[in-house]
Amino acid sequence: MKLDLLLRNADIITMDERRPRATSLGVWQGRIVGLDDDLDGLEAAEVLDLAGATVTPGFIDAHCHTTWFGLGLGELDVSGARGLNQLYALLEAGMAADAAAGDGDGDGQAPGWLLATGFSQTQHGGEFPDITVLDRITGSRPLFMRHNSGHMAVVNTAALRLADAEPASFPDPDGGVIVRDAGGRPTGLVQETAQQLIQQLILPYSTEAIEEALDRATRHYAAEGITSFTEAGIGGGWIGHSPVELAAYQRAASAGRLHARAQLMPVLDVLHPLGGPHAPETARAGLDLGIASGFGDDFLSLGPAKVFLDGSLLGETAAVSQDYCSHGGTDNTGNTGYFQAEPEALRTKIEAAYAAGWSIAAHAIGDRAVDLAIDIIASCAAKYGPRTVPNRIEHASMTRPEQLQRLAAADIAVTPQASFFSDGGDGMTLSLGPERLGWAYRAASFLAGGVTLAGSSDRPVADGNVLRGMQAFVDRRTASGAIFGNPDERLSPLQALGAYTTGAAAATGTSGVKGSLTAGKLADFTVLSGSPLTADSIAELEVLATAVGGNFTFRSPGPTSPVAADSAATGPLFSAATNRS
């Protein structure tokens, strides 16, 4: 037997308790053959001496928005603005650049629209743009500027008029708000489902545009060590980009433009009633032919159905059990957020999907929404049985102490994002107040309570760099330097690495094939400049290479990297440090 790839002289952190460390790893036909002495006497087509570099299982981002991120890389990025004057200047520059290029749409996908991404009021002292100024800058050209939380957007009058939503008499949609001043005039802020009034004028993106976005996004992922991800919402709602988004993923994968393994969550709203012998048509909802969670292969598959129960903490729309704290001139008396629909209506829709074979991924941020998610998922599991792909609560941002035991008992995985601590931690601290801050974005207590914890970013809502995410789990520092929430929720470096490897694999139902460097599993790995278990700063480590199924999706161009790409190579990436036998 001749291996395809042999890594040697490496510091390998396997994340397998039975064999936690190794120095050599062999790959054949996309799988790990063995470690160290398992490889004695075996030759390989490619041998890499890693000169002591660290190898970990490939990083898994269990909750992100890859199409959105990739499209955003081609839109006007306003995330660097600090203060509204800088924001306005960026919008003016975007208008001027499009005019000079003869392009009236910014990215070529929504004719006539100015599309911007990366806005957050936290970058502007808590202020939102003045719609009068936006109208002066954009004129008759409609504007859609997505908030980086994804739960609200800023638009101009031209966009509202296209949607016939400008008059004060226009009703708010269920689960959303068109924010207006005391006179009934829109301020330009549309929250939650109200975004769809505008988005439906822009969508759907073409399959070609989504394919290009996936190529851009997953090349970026590869450079950060990410080998697998879960796309948290496709096909519909305000988070989807096309009713045939799955087809765009299939095209990208077939064309070699998808550079990481993908698990896709269809939005619950795209499921429709199904007939069948086991339930009346009205009781089951899914996709045609009975396709459900788990369909696909190791590279591209369907995960749980995604359902939004509430909003966001940053927008103070998440459903919480106590009023948000008033701060900065904002009176939050009586504000406990809201559900995206009536709880019983949500229960009916979720049960119909579960009955048809779908796992459920419930977006629940406030503790009141977490209660609802646990109640519904536990009830469905008791009635219809467990699911191979785990049920999940996305974010689980506010969890009371008694909810930990309920989560563990119901075998529900959670995905709290440490990436929120830096940019949003100080703002969330003001909203929540000291009495319940310890409930926010738990980590250590999830693990101690037996709850599966998956590392994730919610990119582009927050920073998607996994190394910085691990660092955030370890130190929980906000932008001001404070420790966010309860200091006892900090993870050890090993636990933080586990969140993005074994934990994320467990939460996505893929522990049998990924998450650890174990013989027989997929050869997905990341090569780092040092060990995240001992580094002074995990965030400052460098990704030297990333491999999916033993094939390198990224190699650092650095001249000192033991896996540097050979600039003369014309085919797959070859290493200057490679010996070929």
Side-chain angles (χ1 to χ4, degrees), residues 65-375:
H65 304 283
T66 304
T67 302
W68 172 12
F69 175 61
L71 289 169
L73 292 175
E75 295 175 352
L76 177 63
D77 183 4
V78 299
S79 61
R82 294 297 182 269
L84 292 180
N85 287 337
Q86 288 188 17
L87 174 68
Y88 297 146
L90 284 176
L91 294 173
E92 289 174 338
M95 290 286 291
D98 287 348
D103 180 9
D105 61 32
D107 72 347
Q109 304 308 321
W113 286 79
L114 178 61
L115 303 176
T117 188
F119 169 76
S120 174
Q121 77 277 16
T122 61
Q123 299 161 346
H124 310 289
E127 293 187 87
F128 288 89
D130 185 334
I131 194 170
T132 304
V133 179
L134 295 178
D135 290 345
R136 176 180 58 76
I137 294 171
T138 58
S140 61
R141 185 177 179 188
L143 165 72
F144 184 81
M145 180 165 60
R146 198 193 294 260
H147 191 276
N148 68 4
S149 71
H151 288 267
M152 63 183 91
V154 174
V155 300
N156 62 357
T157 300
L160 290 163
R161 285 175 179 165
L162 283 174
D164 296 324
E166 183 187 12
S169 59
F170 188 89
D172 288 332
D174 289 342
V177 176
I178 302 168
V179 179
R180 301 177 185 273
D181 63 21
R185 182 172 183 265
T187 65
L189 183 64
V190 288
Q191 295 178 332
E192 304 298 345
T193 60
Q195 296 177 92
Q196 290 179 255
L197 298 169
I198 309 301
Q199 286 178 302
Q200 66 187 359
L201 305 173
I202 301 170
L203 300 175
Y205 284 85
S206 70
T207 301
E208 292 78 11
I210 295 174
E211 184 180 343
E212 291 172 4
L214 294 175
D215 188 14
R216 286 194 296 265
T218 57
R219 285 183 185 275
H220 192 102
Y221 289 5
E224 293 182 341
I226 295 170
T227 57
S228 294
F229 66 93
T230 295
E231 171 79 89
I234 65 165
W238 60 261
I239 204 65
H241 295 87
S242 167
V244 293
E245 207 161 348
L246 174 58
Y249 262 95
Q250 289 179 303
R251 282 179 47 149
S254 297
R257 304 184 75 183
L258 191 62
H259 309 290
R261 303 182 194 275
Q263 182 186 72
L264 312 180
M265 293 181 180
V267 173
L268 187 70
D269 291 344
V270 307
L271 307 185
H272 53 262
L274 296 174
H278 303 298
E281 181 178 345
T282 54
R284 301 172 68 242
L287 296 180
D288 293 325
L289 302 179
I291 293 172
S293 300
F295 181 80
D297 57 27
D298 290 336
F299 197 79
L300 180 61
S301 65
L302 293 177
K306 170 76 176 293
V307 56
F308 287 92
L309 299 189
D310 67 346
S312 74
L313 283 180
L314 287 174
E316 297 179 337
T317 58
V320 293
S321 57
Q322 302 173 23
D323 291 2
Y324 288 101
C325 297
S326 299
H327 58 91
T330 300
D331 182 5
N332 273 320
T333 302
N335 178 19
T336 57
Y338 50 85
F339 292 119
Q340 296 283 299
E342 289 298 319
E344 284 309 306
L346 290 166
R347 183 184 299 272
T348 298
K349 288 183 177 181
I350 291 170
E351 183 172 345
Y354 201 97
W358 288 90
S359 308
I360 298 300
H363 167 110
I365 286 185
D367 63 307
R368 192 156 53 99
V370 171
D371 274 333
L372 181 62
I374 297 172
D375 289 345

Side-chain angles (χ1 to χ4, degrees), residues 13 52 62 81 139 157 188 202 261 376 383 506 524 548 556 572:
I13 304 171
T157 300
I202 301 170
R261 303 182 194 275
I376 295 174
K383 186 172 183 179
D524 297 354
V548 175
S556 170

Side-chain angles (χ1 to χ4, degrees), residues 395-418:
H395 313 298
S397 307
M398 292 289 294
T399 48
R400 301 188 307 275
E402 70 271 17
Q403 290 175 322
L404 297 176
Q405 184 176 357
R406 295 185 65 206
L407 286 165
D411 200 21
I412 298 172
V414 296
T415 62
Q417 287 79 27

Side-chain angles (χ1 to χ4, degrees), residues 440-458:
Y441 286 93
R442 295 179 182 272
S445 59
F446 280 137
L447 295 178
V451 179
T452 298
L453 169 66
S456 67
S457 68
D458 207 16

